[in-house]
């Protein structure tokens, strides 16, 4: 591998690592942030809500930016804006907290949509491998940030504001590695998307969008409520936290391996269905016997959810025939998908409050997973966006 190729892959992987820490790093610090800034529980929860909403609504900006400046410079701009956002939210006052969080999430939204197109543009013969690298880096970034922010805070003594500002460092490092690529001559308008109308008219788009949204919903539900489910089942708080870390850790390896295997086949249906079935088993374990071998349920759930996320992004990169259409499909699927996902934790919390237990929410989750299996069946079939469905 040449030096240029090595820098390209390193910059791409490090950029992917920056796609979740600004969001995942909030939760461990939330109590401290609320006390320091003077926020109510609703105000504290609104930080993450604002960020997830931004993930959904700003994705469509990406094809416009890609058409004007190219995908590589769009990614570079995203990294720089993430760094600015996490630094800004450490300043005094609640407005800066929310504005900085929204700014970082907007950049993440643009980068989320850009990444499948960059895979298609720079690694057209290795879409499966580089999708695995990208997705596993995203998952690893989320797991590492949620696990490390408190130890880093204690080690440095900086407080939550300083730790938040430190998240700008990996974003700036990734920008430095990606800078040579961004300075190369860009395709400009030739790299822009096909008209959104053609993408929106394809049934493939809506199969993929449904898969992306439904698997994201089940993921964010577990991210928000899994420790609470285990605690209410009688497990101690620290063990509930370890179980969440376990399922996230399992997703790292799964996210790397599954796209490599699934990308070798014309049809991804067996993998998508298998991932959905494993997620169902994870939900069933928590529904029927949450305190019995909970580590097993978390491993099964982690494999299922990690594979589902990776496969959704792999299919986004595989179905269109060119990078511009990948970016357009990614914008639709991820924007709609994250709006759907944002509803999940809220609806599950309401169902928990209304029913007084977790049976109704988890049975509802199984219904969502049934819909995910149907969407995955259609999304995983061989097809090319813009051509008639098989």
């Amino acid at each position: 591998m040449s030096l240029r190729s090595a820098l390209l892959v390193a910059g791409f992987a490090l950029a992917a690592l920056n796609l979740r820490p600004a969001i995942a790093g909030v939760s461990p610090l939330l109590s401290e942030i609320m006390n320091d800034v003077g926020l109510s529980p609703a105000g504290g929860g609104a930080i993450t809500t604002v960020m997830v909403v931004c993930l959904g609504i700003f994705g469509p900006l990406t094809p416009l930016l890609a058409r004007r400046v190219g995908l590589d410079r769009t990614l570079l701009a995203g990294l720089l804006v993430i760094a600015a956002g996490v630094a800004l939210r450490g300043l005094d006052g609640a407005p800066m907290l929310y504005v900085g969080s929204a700014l970082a999430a907007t950049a993440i939204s643009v980068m989320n949509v850009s990444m499948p197109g960059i895979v298609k543009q720079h690694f057209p013969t290795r879409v499966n491998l580089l999708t695995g690298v990208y997705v596993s880096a995203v998952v690893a970034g989320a797991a590492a940030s949620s696990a490390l922010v408190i130890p880093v805070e204690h080690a440095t003594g900086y407080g939550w504001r300083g730790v938040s500002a430190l998240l700008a460092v990996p974003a700036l490092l990734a920008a430095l590695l990606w800078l040579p690529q961004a300075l190369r001559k860009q395709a400009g308008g030739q790299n822009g998307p096909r008209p959104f109308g053609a993408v929106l008219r394809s049934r493939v788009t809506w199969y993929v969008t449904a898969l992306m949204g439904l698997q994201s919903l089940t993921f964010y539900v577990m991210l928000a409520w899994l420790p609470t489910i285990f605690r209410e089942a009688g497990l101690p708080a620290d063990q509930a936290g370890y179980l969440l870390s376990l399922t996230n850790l399992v997703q790292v390896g799964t996210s790397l391996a599954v796209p490599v295997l699934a990308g070798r086949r014309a049809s991804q249906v067996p993998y998508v269905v298998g991932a959905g079935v494993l997620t169902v088993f994870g939900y069933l374990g928590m529904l029927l016997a949450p305190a019995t071998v909970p580590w097993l349920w978390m491993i099964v759930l982690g494999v299922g959810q990690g594979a589902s996320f990776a496969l959704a992004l792999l299919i986004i990169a595989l179905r269109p025939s060119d990078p511009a259409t990948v970016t357009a499909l990614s914008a639709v699927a991820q924007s709609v998908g994250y709006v759907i996902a944002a509803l999940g934790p809220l609806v599950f919390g309401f169902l928990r409050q209304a029913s007084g237990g977790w049976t109704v929410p988890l049975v509802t989750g199984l219904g969502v997973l049934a819909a995910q299996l149907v969407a995955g069946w259609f999304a995983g079939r061989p097809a090319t966006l813009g051509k008639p469905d098989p």
Side-chain angles (χ1 to χ4, degrees):
M1 179 183 290
S2 67
L3 177 60
R4 178 178 172 273
S5 297
L7 287 174
L8 176 63
V9 173
F12 174 76
L14 189 53
L17 277 170
N18 283 276
L19 289 176
R20 291 298 179 272
I23 301 171
V26 170
S27 181
L29 297 168
L30 188 56
S31 296
E32 184 180 346
I33 293 171
M34 290 167 56
N35 291 333
D36 185 31
V37 182
L39 299 178
S40 66
I47 301 170
T48 301
T49 299
V50 164
M51 298 189 80
V52 175
V53 169
C54 288
L55 291 182
I57 65 176
F58 289 110
L61 291 175
T62 309
L64 304 177
L65 291 171
R67 163 172 271 176
R68 183 170 295 274
V69 301
L71 279 169
D72 293 337
R73 291 175 184 169
T74 298
L75 184 65
L76 177 66
L79 290 165
L80 295 174
V81 174
I82 287 177
V86 295
L88 186 63
R89 72 182 180 188
L91 300 179
D92 284 336
M96 291 296 97
L97 174 62
Y98 289 116
V99 170
S101 296
L103 192 62
T106 299
I108 292 168
S109 176
V110 169
M111 290 174 63
N112 278 340
V113 173
S114 300
M115 295 298 265
I118 287 172
V119 170
K120 192 80 167 186
Q121 176 173 292
H122 291 296
F123 314 103
T125 62
R126 296 184 178 181
V127 168
N128 55 345
L129 175 61
L130 270 297
T131 297
V133 170
Y134 148 48
V135 179
S136 62
V138 171
V139 176
S145 59
S146 59
L148 294 177
V149 287
I150 296 299
V152 169
E153 182 186 25
H154 292 164
T156 61
Y158 287 163
W160 74 266
R161 297 178 189 276
V163 171
S164 180
L166 284 176
L167 292 174
V169 174
L172 292 173
L173 179 58
L176 183 62
L177 285 175
W178 194 252
L179 183 61
Q181 185 62 41
L183 291 178
R184 292 173 62 86
K185 185 177 180 180
Q186 303 291 295
Q190 296 176 0
N191 203 32
R194 293 175 181 175
F196 264 111
V199 173
L200 295 174
R201 285 192 298 270
S202 173
R203 285 182 290 172
V204 174
T205 298
W206 299 109
Y207 300 151
V208 175
T209 298
L211 174 61
M212 185 71 197
L214 294 171
Q215 67 81 27
S216 294
L217 185 151
T218 61
F219 171 79
Y220 279 104
V221 163
M222 288 295 100
L223 188 66
W225 291 113
L226 191 148
T228 305
I229 292 172
F230 280 127
R231 290 187 66 181
E232 294 187 8
L235 274 64
D238 59 346
Q239 188 174 349
Y242 295 148
L243 289 167
L244 178 59
S245 299
L246 173 61
T247 195
N248 287 333
L249 184 62
V250 169
Q251 290 183 43
V252 177
T254 304
S255 299
L256 179 60
V258 169
V260 174
L261 298 173
R264 295 173 180 171
R265 301 184 58 169
S267 173
Q268 286 74 49
V269 168
Y271 293 92
V272 177
V273 171
V277 169
L278 287 172
T279 308
V280 167
F281 282 132
Y283 266 66
L284 283 173
M286 289 182 291
L287 174 64
L288 301 176
T292 304
V293 290
W295 57 269
L296 178 60
W297 309 139
M298 291 303 93
I299 291 172
V300 172
L301 183 70
V303 172
Q305 290 194 316
S308 295
F309 178 46
L311 288 163
L313 293 174
L314 175 68
I315 290 169
I316 288 173
L318 287 176
R319 292 296 175 264
S321 58
D322 61 273
T325 311
V326 171
T327 304
L329 173 61
S330 183
V332 174
Q334 296 204 54
S335 296
V336 176
Y338 281 116
V339 169
I340 294 172
L343 298 175
L346 180 65
V347 171
F348 267 58
F350 172 78
L351 292 174
R352 164 63 181 85
Q353 181 176 341
S355 66
W358 287 105
T359 299
V360 172
L362 288 171
V363 169
T364 302
L366 290 170
V368 173
L369 285 166
Q372 178 184 320
L373 283 166
V374 174
W377 177 275
F378 288 104
R381 296 181 305 168
T384 299
L385 191 63
K387 294 184 179 180
D389 297 334

